[in-house]
């Protein structure tokens, strides 16, 4: 194959890819409604902890990122709004009764009935001031906001 022919084929493939991406972008659903839940929590160190703790707080956010006929995909964000590093976090969501979690990512997850607990793991437990971590889950049922939310034991 000649060099010119390779260039023509490459240009044609790039054109088709660009057209496909444009169509996909223009036909996607509108952006999901973002619901931010926030609660400042003072964390006091225990005598044996020896780990850095947040002295200002932590907040959690929840947003449905995509929906389909029988399910949805949601993202949870934990942000250190304090002035000191945060070592460890736990988010607990009480989901509506008709929602069943099918998979999670970015956190150690525990499912019990309508409660989903997301815990930090060794690779994402440390959050510097202003830092955040994103995790998510896929669920069966209609997309809905959680019935309740706590982050490190305090309401979101």
């Amino acid at each position: 194959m000649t060099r010119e022919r390779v260039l023509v084929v490459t240009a044609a493939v790039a054109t088709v890819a660009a057209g496909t991406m444009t169509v996909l972008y223009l036909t996607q659903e509108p952006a999901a409604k973002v619901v931010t839940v926030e609660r400042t929590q003072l964390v006091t160190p225990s005598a044996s902890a020896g780990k850095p703790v947040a002295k200002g707080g932590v907040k959690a956010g929840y947003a449905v990122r995509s929906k389909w006929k029988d399910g949805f995909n949601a993202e949870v964000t934990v942000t250190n709004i304090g002035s000191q590093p945060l070592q460890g976090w736990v988010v607990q969501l009480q989901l509506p009764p008709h929602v069943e979690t099918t998979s999670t990512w970015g956190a150690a997850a525990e499912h019990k009935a309508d409660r989903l607990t997301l815990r930090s793991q060794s690779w994402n437990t440390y959050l510097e001031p202003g830092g955040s971590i994103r995790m998510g889950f896929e669920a069966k049922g209609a997309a809905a906001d959680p019935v309740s939310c706590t982050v490190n034991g305090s309401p979101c």
Side-chain angles (χ1 to χ4, degrees):
M1 204 181 252
T2 67
R3 180 177 179 182
E4 290 80 21
R5 187 177 199 117
V6 170
L7 290 175
V8 168
V9 170
T10 302
V13 169
T15 302
V16 170
T20 302
M21 295 297 284
T22 301
V23 169
L24 290 174
Y25 176 77
L26 294 174
T27 60
Q28 73 183 19
E29 289 187 34
K33 177 182 122 183
V34 175
V35 177
T36 301
V37 286
E38 185 174 318
R39 171 72 178 181
T40 300
Q41 176 192 9
L42 294 177
V43 181
T44 55
S46 67
S48 62
K51 296 180 180 178
V53 294
K55 289 190 178 176
V58 61
K59 73 176 182 177
Y62 176 90
V64 173
R65 292 297 181 204
S66 61
K67 299 184 256 186
W68 52 91
K69 182 181 174 194
D70 297 322
F72 66 99
N73 176 310
E75 180 181 74
V76 177
T77 305
V78 174
T79 304
N80 179 358
I81 58 173
S83 60
Q84 298 295 315
L86 173 67
Q87 186 75 27
W89 46 266
V90 177
V91 175
Q92 290 187 321
L93 301 171
Q94 181 182 351
L95 301 172
H98 62 278
V99 173
E100 178 187 338
T101 306
T102 57
S103 65
T104 60
W105 59 91
E110 185 179 322
H111 314 256
K112 288 187 180 175
D114 61 350
R115 185 157 308 270
L116 174 61
T117 302
L118 302 166
R119 297 182 192 281
S120 59
Q121 297 178 320
S122 61
W123 54 270
N124 67 2
T125 192
Y126 177 86
L127 283 176
E128 63 186 32
S132 62
I133 183 74
R134 296 178 195 277
M135 70 223 68
F137 65 91
E138 187 173 292
K140 290 181 185 176
D145 292 340
V147 174
S148 68
C149 174
T150 62
V151 58
N152 286 358
S154 293
C156 294

